[in-house]
Amino acid sequence: MSRLVTIFGGSGFVGRYIARRMAKEGWRVRVAVRRPNEALFVKPYGVPGQVEPLACNIRDDASVRAMIRGADAVVNCVGILNSLGRNTFDAVQAEGPGRIARISAEEGVGHLVHVSAIGADAGSDSDYARTKARGEAAVLAAFPNAVILRPSIIFGTEDQFFNRFAGMARLGPVLPVVGASTKFQPVHVDDVAKAAVAGVLGQAAPGIYELGGPEVDTFRGLMQRMLKVIQRRRAVVGIPFFVARIMAFGFDMVQALTLGLIENKVLTRDQVRNLARDNVVAPGAKGLADLGITPTAMEAVLPEYLWRYRPAGQFAAIKDSAKNLRKA
């Protein structure tokens, strides 16, 4: 295990899958996170001492340099959905990637992979999309041979998309969504991890890759698929954008007035702006196929982790079997 990779945000949803795969490849893995005591679960991904979580602040040059020094490759998975305190969109998604790329170049890192997002646009009215684009530009300016990954909505066991709405579906007969007609192309988290590993190993040509799964569907359609998996009948009701903006303003004000003590984890105004735009792979863009990766279908994965939201949970199949016996 002579090779070392540093993964910023390596204990997050995507980062943990990359860390696990890099450990299987025989690399030492340095997981750079804000709170290493909350990332101890990554240590068993390899043999003792192979995967280590360490404290890092991507807003600080010295902290970032300490994580990169001696590394053969670097992966940046850090991103946020809500600006809170010093962790603003600019600091985390624009300045942070630029700092990581600049120091990686200075330290002689061989390969750099940056995880961005579909929809990154320097001219967007969304802070999220705009800072994602600025982060990409900063990475390419400092490290021209970087591999940039732009995934659509990512699904998997620990996701905050299907899990969130499946949990909401247990609470009542109506499932409200903002942007019911907006299109998405969900990609499995392990497919994103495979793409990142290809970049680390030098198996991906430098450039931007847009990652999407084999299916494109509307927000409403995705919710209906999820409801079928969890065996619940709910009315998927689209919330008009003007109503959503009012709601999001209220939630944002609560966060602002409490100085962040009550974080807006429901709906932000910036998220409403993003939900108004389709989130699919652009025609002609390089993607998973260019990396030799076959995308995973949602139907192959969703039942593996959404079963717990079924009325009978893990006993759903037994319950259905019992019904058939009574009929017989």
Side-chain angles (χ1 to χ4, degrees):
M1 294 185 291
S2 60
R3 295 173 296 178
L4 170 66
V5 60
T6 295
I7 306 177
F8 290 90
S11 65
F13 176 37
V14 177
R16 66 184 67 185
Y17 282 80
I18 299 174
R20 184 184 293 115
R21 283 195 165 274
M22 289 309 304
K24 288 182 178 180
E25 290 288 337
W27 286 54
R28 289 184 294 126
V29 183
R30 183 182 287 161
V31 176
V33 293
R34 285 187 296 169
R35 303 181 183 90
N37 60 306
E38 296 178 6
L40 296 178
F41 62 86
V42 302
K43 292 173 73 68
Y45 290 172
V47 298
Q50 185 180 4
V51 183
E52 288 293 336
L54 298 170
C56 176
N57 179 1
I58 66 167
R59 303 192 311 271
D60 180 72
D61 272 33
S63 182
V64 171
R65 191 177 298 278
M67 292 298 102
I68 293 177
R69 185 171 293 120
D72 299 284
V74 171
V75 181
N76 177 34
C77 303
V78 180
I80 57 175
L81 293 174
N82 183 22
S83 181
L84 185 65
R86 295 183 179 179
N87 291 316
T88 64
F89 284 117
D90 282 328
V92 175
Q93 297 188 164
E95 298 168 9
R99 178 175 293 108
I100 290 171
R102 171 175 54 81
I103 295 175
S104 293
E106 293 171 355
E107 293 292 330
V109 170
H111 298 283
L112 172 64
V113 178
H114 173 61
V115 181
S116 182
I118 284 181
D121 180 5
S124 175
D125 60 346
S126 162
D127 290 336
Y128 176 85
R130 188 170 57 254
T131 54
K132 281 290 187 181
R134 286 180 55 201
E136 290 182 3
V139 167
L140 292 175
F143 206 108
N145 291 328
V147 171
I148 295 178
L149 306 178
R150 290 179 174 176
S152 182
I153 289 290
I154 304 175
F155 68 93
T157 304
E158 305 88 355
D159 71 45
Q160 293 299 312
F161 184 67
F162 286 114
N163 276 305
R164 177 181 180 181
F165 287 98
M168 291 172 57
R170 295 187 298 186
L171 304 179
V174 175
L175 185 62
V177 296
V178 178
S181 299
T182 301
K183 295 179 180 179
F184 295 91
Q185 193 171 351
V187 59
H188 187 229
V189 61
D190 200 41
D191 291 340
V192 178
K194 290 177 184 177
V197 170
V200 170
L201 299 181
Q203 299 169 353
I208 298 176
Y209 296 81
E210 297 200 351
L211 311 183
E215 302 156 297
V216 175
D217 206 343
T218 62
F219 200 163
R220 185 188 302 276
L222 293 176
M223 293 300 96
Q224 290 170 340
R225 289 170 183 251
M226 176 270 294
L227 289 169
K228 184 177 180 180
V229 172
I230 66 174
Q231 301 174 358
R232 292 181 185 271
R233 292 184 179 181
R234 298 291 185 266
V236 180
V237 177
I239 300 177
F241 280 106
F242 78 92
V243 175
R245 284 191 287 269
I246 295 172
M247 294 170 56
F249 175 80
F251 295 134
D252 281 344
M253 288 303 100
V254 170
Q255 176 176 297
L257 293 173
T258 60
L259 301 178
L261 292 177
I262 300 178
E263 182 181 353
N264 180 4
K265 296 182 179 181
V266 181
L267 182 69
T268 69
R269 286 171 290 177
D270 201 68
Q271 289 168 356
V272 173
R273 298 185 193 106
N274 279 314
L275 287 169
R277 301 179 180 85
D278 290 340
N279 196 271
V280 298
V281 174
K286 292 193 294 185
L288 291 173
D290 298 277
L291 298 171
I293 300 171
T294 301
T296 304
M298 288 181 282
E299 284 74 10
V301 178
L302 294 184
E304 293 184 357
Y305 67 95
L306 293 182
W307 55 263
R308 59 185 179 274
Y309 299 102
R310 293 170 179 167
Q314 71 267 40
F315 303 109
I318 297 176
K319 184 177 180 181
D320 292 339
S321 179
K323 288 181 179 179
N324 293 329
L325 288 174
R326 286 199 296 268
K327 291 178 181 178

